[in-house]
Structure formats: C-alpha cells, structure tokens
Amino acid sequence: MHHPAPEQPAHAVARLRATFRTGRTKPTDWRTAQLRGLRAMLTEHDTELTAALHADLGKSAYEAYRTEIDFTIREIDHTLDHLDAWLRPEPAPVPPHLGEATAWTQYDPLGVVLVIAPWNYPAQLLLAPMVGALASGNAVVAKPSELAPATSAVLARLLPRYLDTDAVAVVEGGVPETTALLAERFDHIFYTGNGTVGRIVMAAAARHLTPVTLELGGKSPVFVDRDADPATVAERLVAGKFLNAGQTCVAPDYVLTDPETARALEPALTRAVEKLYGATPETSDAYGRIVNERHFDRLTGLLGSGRVVVGGGSDRATKYIAPTVLADVAPESPVMQEEIFGPILPLVTVAGLDEAIAFINDRDKPLALYAFTGSGTTRRRLAAETSSGGLGFGLPLAHLTVSDLPFGGVGESGMGNYHGRYSIETFSHRKAVLEKPLV
Ligand code: NAD
C-alpha cells in the first residue's frame, strides 16, 4: 500500500491560512457542517475508536463511550443547539457625547489555531477543543498524542474524511513534529498536558505573540469532613479516582481528613473498590491499564509512600496497577511531591478544616478541589478561601460534564478555559464596533 509522506508543518499551516483568507470558514453553515461531520465520524466509527482506546489504555467500552465518544457528541450537540445565540452581536450602550451612534461586539474567528492533545483521553481532549475552534470559524491543525498511538492513527485517518481538509489538518508525531509545528505562527495555541511542556508551548507562542490556552494538571485535593457518610464518600471517590486507572487530569489526587474520619474511610474504601472492580480488579473488564512502562515504573515507585489499605499489587507485563489506597501518608513522602496520575489514593491527616485550607493554599493552585461535607459554612469557606480551576462538592469529576461551566485551571493548573460558550470566547476575538451615521 502506498503511504503519502506526512505533510510538513509549514506547508499545512500555509495551506490552511490560504483557506482562512478566502473567508470560507466564517459562515455559520460551514461551522455547523464541520460539527455534524465530527458527530458522524463519532457515531459511524465508535467501534473502531473504542478498539483503539482499548489498545492504548485498556479502556473499557463503557468508559470509552461515556468519557470520550458520548462526551464529545454532547459537546457537539450543545454547541449546535446554541451557536446562533452565542454568536449574536451584543449591543453596547453609547455615551451621550457621541450623539446618535450605535455600538456592539461581534465574535471574529482568530485564524489558524493549533490544538495539541495528551494521551489520557486522547479522543475527547483532541476533539472537544476542535469543536470550539471549528464552531468559532477557525482553521485547525490537530496534533494527537503519540503516547496513544492507536487512537492517534484512527483520528488521523478518519478526521480528513469528515472535515473540510482545506481547513483542517492532522499532524501526527512526538517531540520533533510538535517542535516543528511550534515554530510556525498560529493565531491561537490550545495545549492540554503537563506544565513542563506547557512552558515550552508558551515560550514558542511568545515569539509570534500568539495567545495560548494551557490545560494543565497538578494535585487535586479532596477534603472529607467528619459528618460525611464514609460509604457514600468512598463509593464516589473510588469511582472518580480509579476511572481510566487514575489517569484523569481532574482525578482526586489525595484525601485530606482528620484521623478519625480516615480510620472510618479505610474499610469503606476497601469495600467500594471491591464493589466496583471485584476482589481481583486485574480480571475486571471495567478497569484500565497504565499508558506505558515509564509511567508504570514511576507509579510503582510511589506505592511505598504509606501503609497499604487496599491494592498495592502490580504487573509490569500487563501494565496493571491495582486500585490502591495508602494510609498514614506523610506530606513529605514521594507520593505527595508530584501529580500522581495513576490509581493510588493517599490519605493525609490534618486536624480539621483550618489546617486543610492552609495545606491546600501552601501548594500549587489545583485544577480541581473536592469536598464532602454536610456543612454549608464549610462549603462557603472552601469556596471563598481557596483557589482552584473548579470546585466540586459531593461528587468528583462531574463539574466537567456541565456544558455551561467553563473548564480550565488557574496558576500551575493552567490558563484559559473552554467547553460550550466558553470555547467560543477562547477561539474568537470579541471585536468592538462603533457606527456613527455620516449625516
Ligand atoms: P503527553 O505526553 O501526551 O503530552 C501532551 C502533548 O505534548 C502531546 O501531544 C505531546 O506530543 C506534546 N509534547 C510532549 N513533549 C513535547 C515537547 N518537548 N515539545 C512540544 N510538545 C511536546 O501528555 P502528558 O503531558 O503526559 O499529559 C498528562 C498531563 O496532562 C497531566 O499533568 C494531566 O493532569 C494533564 N492533563 C490536563 C488536562 C486538562 O484538561 N487540564 C487534561 C488531561 C491531562
């Protein structure tokens, strides 16, 4: 079979820029046609995508559907439902000294944008930003993650069949290819991944004065109050933490609670793990695998950071790490020094709410903060006295699925946000227009 040589980044960008200049991507009809194309790709090739996600991450069909395919379809449908309303120019009152005049804002597409995706939700995190970029009328260069090679290959093959190839290009590859892409001038760069590469992206963007959205990660804490029912907390925590084997940017990273509550949580967490994945999670179809050996070795190195409550086992050959809870974890231990990004949940004890708030504020601003508490005062204090990308009471991860909430970090967890109408803000320029009659 003949494989054409991959398109060079400079060529792809020039080609897309020429298309953008014709104005073809601006009409709403073009935008909605692209979104419908994406939707058709997802519904017609869900089996292929599911197989690729399983090959890359051992993702179950259920998880693939819920967190990647259907998640993106819902983002598309929400955008199709509201796009006209979101794009409507917004009138602004004119000050009296201008006399008879009108003013408004309108959303202009930015031009050619670059979307760089990570491996952990390799379909959703490439496609959901593309939904916003295309809905805003941009041409898009999409760079899937080389660490999820099966998904990257499927997307590179399918996307051109469903989208306007003069305005959308998929560039596969790793560091050399991304470095070459970053040398080009884009009108916006949307990067999801770790903060080290985030800095590389931002430095490259600065050379062209290109604005960036950085969707990064970090340690997302969970505060558990003494009044919260341990069984409920444990079931919700386990479901959020061990989804995708813990490789979720907004996964609960560690638990902060008082010693007594920690003791009550230990058996509850053990039961919750068994309830979800059975006594032998390695045989459960629902449980995923670690993306590669490097991350496997990094994670097994963290298993010694505390007393094993449940789990602790691993198998390098299949990149399996058991859903693990560690108790008596010291803040100085290795597992508390980096984003875990795997199926290990440390329990760290504090005296109470004041100490928990200080603990959170002593560290990088998290992408998400979660709390289980029946106290309205505690919820209000956490909301007012801490800073995080998002805040979830009573249920981890779920704020991400609310289409009308912005999703993004703050400080070390990133800058900018997207989803729904916030994607239009990110991928458009809000232009100020004044019109004064000549006579
Ligand atoms: P990754 O290794 O797949 O890297 C992300 C992208 O950066 C890839 O496309 C990769 O090709 C590119 N890249 C890697 N090295 C590069 C370099 N030197 N120069 C230019 N580009 C380079 O994914 P990752 O970074 O391991 O992803 C995990 C991290 O992402 C975690 O910290 C996680 O919390 C974060 N994350 C954040 C979100 C979010 O929405 N905020 C979502 C998922 C993951």
Side-chain angles (χ1 to χ4, degrees):
M1 209 168 104
H2 173 71
H3 289 284
E7 188 177 15
Q8 291 305 306
H11 186 263
V13 176
R15 196 166 61 74
L16 268 48
R17 197 169 288 291
T19 305
F20 183 77
R21 285 284 295 276
T22 67
R24 168 150 129 210
T25 66
K26 287 186 179 174
T28 313
D29 283 352
W30 181 89
R31 307 181 190 197
T32 54
Q34 304 314 305
L35 298 194
R36 293 204 179 88
L38 265 186
R39 195 184 199 289
M41 181 192 87
L42 289 166
T43 54
E44 289 167 21
H45 295 279
D46 57 336
T47 321
E48 235 170 311
L49 270 169
T50 302
L53 291 162
H54 189 267
D56 286 331
L57 290 149
K59 230 176 248 216
S60 70
Y62 173 73
E63 257 190 52
Y65 178 74
R66 195 161 70 97
T67 66
E68 307 245 26
I69 297 167
D70 187 56
F71 185 99
T72 310
I73 289 175
R74 283 190 294 110
E75 181 71 12
I76 292 169
D77 289 347
H78 182 65
T79 306
L80 285 171
D81 282 351
H82 298 284
L83 188 60
D84 283 335
W86 291 338
L87 294 175
R88 210 166 285 147
E90 210 174 297
V94 175
H97 74 264
L98 288 175
E100 193 189 322
T102 49
W104 67 91
T105 54
Q106 72 175 52
Y107 287 104
D108 284 353
L110 295 170
V112 182
V113 306
L114 172 63
V115 175
I116 305 177
W119 52 265
N120 62 331
Y121 290 86
Q124 186 216 128
L125 294 173
L126 186 75
L127 302 178
M130 285 179 75
V131 171
L134 293 167
S136 303
N138 297 291
V140 183
V141 176
K143 215 301 280 173
S145 176
E146 75 281 16
L147 299 183
T151 309
S152 177
V154 169
L155 291 172
R157 186 161 48 76
L158 293 179
L159 282 167
R161 285 168 47 187
Y162 286 87
L163 299 175
D164 179 350
T165 51
D166 292 333
V168 180
V170 183
V171 174
E172 285 194 271
V175 177
E177 291 79 5
T178 316
T179 306
L181 270 176
L182 287 173
E184 297 302 315
R185 183 175 72 78
F186 289 94
D187 298 287
H188 193 90
I189 300 177
F190 188 105
Y191 169 81
T192 304
N194 67 77
T196 306
V197 176
R199 284 165 169 80
I200 295 173
V201 169
M202 199 170 170
R207 288 198 295 273
H208 299 291
L209 216 58
T210 297
V212 293
T213 303
L214 302 179
E215 296 280 343
L216 312 177
K219 292 178 89 62
S220 295
V222 185
F223 174 69
V224 182
D225 213 349
R226 60 184 85 231
D227 71 352
D229 170 49
T232 307
V233 173
E235 283 186 16
R236 296 182 188 181
L237 263 183
V238 161
K241 173 75 186 188
F242 299 116
L243 184 83
N244 201 25
Q247 300 162 115
T248 302
C249 55
V250 286
D253 190 274
Y254 63 95
V255 171
L256 278 178
T257 192
D258 64 276
E260 206 181 315
T261 307
R263 269 193 301 279
L265 275 176
E266 288 183 22
L269 286 163
T270 304
R271 275 195 296 275
V273 169
E274 273 202 36
K275 192 169 163 186
L276 199 56
Y277 300 112
T280 52
E282 63 269 40
T283 62
S284 164
D285 290 340
Y287 190 62
R289 294 295 181 267
I290 304 308
V291 65
N292 56 29
E293 274 84 15
R294 185 171 66 80
H295 281 285
F296 177 91
D297 293 339
R298 177 182 66 78
L299 286 161
T300 48
L302 302 177
L303 287 168
S305 288
R307 169 171 57 82
V308 174
V309 173
V310 62
S314 63
D315 175 24
R316 197 170 194 270
T318 56
K319 288 173 286 186
Y320 165 80
I321 297 181
T324 299
V325 176
L326 299 178
D328 310 327
V329 174
E332 304 75 31
S333 65
V335 79
M336 289 303 293
Q337 307 313 309
E338 58 182 270
E339 176 181 7
I340 299 170
F341 220 56
I344 306 170
L345 182 67
L347 306 181
V348 178
T349 56
V350 285
L353 180 63
D354 288 329
E355 206 179 309
I357 289 175
F359 194 97
I360 295 161
N361 290 338
D362 278 346
R363 290 165 173 75
D364 290 337
K365 291 180 182 176
L367 184 57
L369 169 64
Y370 303 112
F372 292 86
T373 173
S375 157
T377 310
T378 300
R379 289 196 295 274
R380 278 190 295 277
R381 280 199 58 195
L382 284 165
E385 296 175 33
T386 67
S387 177
S388 56
L391 174 58
F393 293 120
L395 191 60
L397 274 45
H399 60 294
L400 224 96
T401 65
V402 181
S403 307
D404 286 313
L405 284 178
F407 175 54
V410 57
E412 279 287 326
S413 56
M415 60 183 72
N417 52 57
Y418 73 125
H419 284 178
R421 56 188 285 256
Y422 298 98
S423 291
I424 307 297
E425 299 285 341
T426 289
F427 288 109
S428 310
H429 166 60
R430 207 195 304 203
K431 182 159 71 184
V433 186
L434 173 79
E435 189 175 292
K436 169 89 181 156
L438 289 178
V439 283

